C-alpha cells in the first residue's frame, strides 16, 4: 500500500462478517457491492461533481479505509491519506433513447460485477454518464456510485447524497458544511462495551436452539463447471392491502407491541411451518446507531448488525 498511513482501527461486528465473506468468496460477483444511482436533468458540471466526490472522501476517514488481515490474528481497517477518487466520464449523447437505456443498464451491471480489492482503497468509485432524453433534445446525466457495503449502511445513503450535492453546489469547498463526527468515535464506544457480558447474554438466550435451515444460499452454476458461485440478490416487492395493514396495526396495539415485533413473530411461525420446527432462529437487521454516541444519526458509515431472533 503506497498511501500515507493516517490511522488503524478495529472492525465493527458486521464489518468482520463482510470481510470474512469477501475472503471466502473471492471469485465471481461480490454480493456486497452496492450502488447509488442519481439522475440529473440539464447540464451537469462534471468538474464540480468530481471535486464534490473527492471532498466526500477527504472529509470521511472511514471512506478511505482498506481492510487488512495478512499476518494478523484479527483484521484491521487501515485509514490512509490522499486517496484519489476513482472517476469515469462516458458520453452516450449520440445514441437513441432505446440504446441509452440498454447501455445504462449494462454499465451499472458491469460496475457492480467489478470486484473491489479490500486492501486497495478506496472501496468506492463514481462514473458520470451523459445522454439525451427520449426526444434526443434535453441534456441528461446519470451518476453511478458503486461502493462496498463494508463502508456504509442504508441509513448512510441519503446522508451521502445530501452531502455530495451540497459539496457540488460549493464546487468541492466544504468550509460551509458542519464538521464530521468521525466514525472512529463509534468504534471507541464499541470497544468500551462489555463483550463478555454480551456473549453470556446471547448464550443464555440461544441455549438449546437448533439451526433453522430453510434452504441453501443462492448460487449460480459456474460456466467452467467448477464449484458454483454466489448469485446476486434480487428484489421482490409486494403491497399489503390497506385493510390488512389496519388489522395488523390494531392487533399490535391490543398486544402492546410494535408492528415490527408482530411481523417478526408471523415470519417465525411461517418458517416453523416450512421446516417442521416449533423453535426457530432467524436474523434481523438492527440500526446499531446508539444514542450514546453524539451525532450518530448524521454519521456516514456501517453501524448495522444482524442479530438472532428466536421464536
Amino acid at each position: 500500500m503506497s498511501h500515507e498511513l493516517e490511522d488503524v482501527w478495529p472492525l465493527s461486528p458486521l464489518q468482520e462478517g463482510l470481510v470474512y465473506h469477501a475472503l471466502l468468496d473471492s471469485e465471481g460477483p461480490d454480493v456486497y457491492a452496492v450502488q447509488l444511482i442519481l439522475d440529473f436533468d440539464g447540464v451537469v458540471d462534471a468538474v464540480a461533481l468530481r471535486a464534490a466526490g473527492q471532498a466526500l472522501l477527504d472529509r470521511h476517514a472511514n471512506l478511505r479505509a482498506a481492510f487488512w488481515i495478512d499476518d494478523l490474528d484479527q483484521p484491521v481497517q487501515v485509514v490512509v491519506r490522499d486517496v484519489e477518487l476513482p472517476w469515469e466520464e462516458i458520453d452516450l449523447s449520440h445514441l437513441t433513447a432505446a440504446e441509452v437505456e440498454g447501455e445504462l443498464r449494462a454499465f451499472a451491471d458491469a460496475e457492480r460485477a467489478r470486484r473491489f480489492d479490500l486492501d486497495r482503497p478506496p472501496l468506492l468509485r463514481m462514473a458520470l454518464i451523459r445522454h439525451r432524453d427520449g426526444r434526443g433534445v434535453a441534456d441528461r446525466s446519470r451518476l453511478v456510485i458503486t461502493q462496498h457495503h463494508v463502508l456504509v449502511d442504508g441509513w448512510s445513503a441519503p446522508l451521502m447524497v445530501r452531502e455530495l450535492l451540497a459539496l457540488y453546489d460549493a464546487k468541492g469547498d466544504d468550509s460551509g458544511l458542519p464538521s464530521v463526527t468521525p466514525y472512529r468515535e463509534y468504534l471507541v464506544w464499541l470497544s468500551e462495551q462489555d463483550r463478555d457480558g454480551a456473549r453470556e447474554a446471547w448464550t443464555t438466550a440461544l441455549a438449546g436452539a437448533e439451526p433453522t435451515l430453510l434452504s441453501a444460499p443462492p448460487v449460480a452454476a459456474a460456466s467452467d463447471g467448477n464449484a458454483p458461485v454466489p448469485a446476486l440478490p434480487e428484489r421482490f416487492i409486494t403491497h399489503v392491502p390497506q385493510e390488512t395493514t389496519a388489522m395488523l396495526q390494531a392487533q399490535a396495539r391490543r398486544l402492546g407491541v410494535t408492528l415490527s415485533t408482530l411481523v417478526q413473530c408471523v415470519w417465525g411461525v411461517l418458517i416453523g411451518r416450512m421446516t417442521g420446527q416449533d423453535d426457530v432462529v432467524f436474523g434481523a437487521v438492527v440500526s446499531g446507531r446508539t444514542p450514546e454516541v453524539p451525532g450518530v444519526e448524521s454519521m456516514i458509515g456501517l453501524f448495522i448488525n444482524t442479530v438472532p431472533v428466536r421464536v
Side-chain angles (χ1 to χ4, degrees), residues 241-260 262-263:
Q242 186 173 355
E243 297 78 10
T244 304
T245 301
M247 290 170 58
L248 288 169
Q249 291 171 334
Q251 178 71 349
R253 284 193 297 269
R254 282 193 294 270
L255 295 172
V257 300
T258 65
L259 188 58
S260 174
L262 192 64
V263 171

Side-chain angles (χ1 to χ4, degrees), residues 220-298:
S223 58
D224 58 4
N226 292 327
V229 296
L232 291 175
E234 298 182 20
R235 178 176 295 178
F236 176 77
I237 299 175
T238 187
H239 296 278
V240 178
Q242 186 173 355
E243 297 78 10
T244 304
T245 301
M247 290 170 58
L248 288 169
Q249 291 171 334
Q251 178 71 349
R253 284 193 297 269
R254 282 193 294 270
L255 295 172
V257 300
T258 65
L259 188 58
S260 174
T261 298
L262 192 64
V263 171
Q264 287 189 2
C265 286
V266 171
W267 181 242
V269 171
L270 174 62
I271 294 176
R273 290 185 177 179
M274 296 180 70
T275 60
Q277 297 175 243
D278 59 7
D279 184 356
V280 299
V281 180
F282 56 87
V285 177
V286 293
S287 75
R289 291 180 182 253
T290 174
E292 296 178 43
V293 178
V296 71
E297 71 281 352
S298 60

Side-chain angles (χ1 to χ4, degrees), residues 43-154:
V43 178
V44 170
D45 184 343
V47 174
L49 191 55
R50 182 176 186 176
Q54 183 64 56
L56 190 70
L57 272 184
D58 296 340
R59 281 170 54 82
H60 297 275
N62 54 305
L63 298 184
R64 292 181 269 110
F67 294 81
W68 202 260
I69 194 171
D70 289 352
D71 301 322
L72 299 175
D73 294 331
Q74 292 288 332
V76 295
Q77 46 187 322
V78 179
V79 179
V80 295
R81 305 181 193 275
D82 302 323
V83 174
E84 183 178 353
L85 172 71
W87 175 265
E88 186 176 0
E89 291 183 38
I90 301 170
D91 188 356
L92 301 179
S93 57
H94 60 288
L95 300 181
T96 66
E99 291 171 330
V100 165
E101 189 60 35
E103 288 294 322
L104 290 176
R105 186 166 51 251
F107 178 82
D109 290 345
E111 273 294 275
R112 188 174 176 186
R114 187 156 63 96
R115 296 182 68 97
F116 288 101
D117 292 329
L118 293 189
D119 58 355
R120 298 183 62 183
L123 308 182
L124 177 154
R125 53 182 179 260
M126 297 187 186
L128 181 65
I129 308 172
R130 301 182 187 275
H131 60 101
R132 298 282 186 173
D133 66 4
R135 297 169 297 167
V137 178
D139 290 305
R140 301 201 70 194
S141 296
R142 170 168 291 187
L143 181 67
V144 179
I145 305 172
T146 306
Q147 57 199 355
H148 200 284
H149 197 4
V150 74
L151 295 182
V152 294
D153 54 25

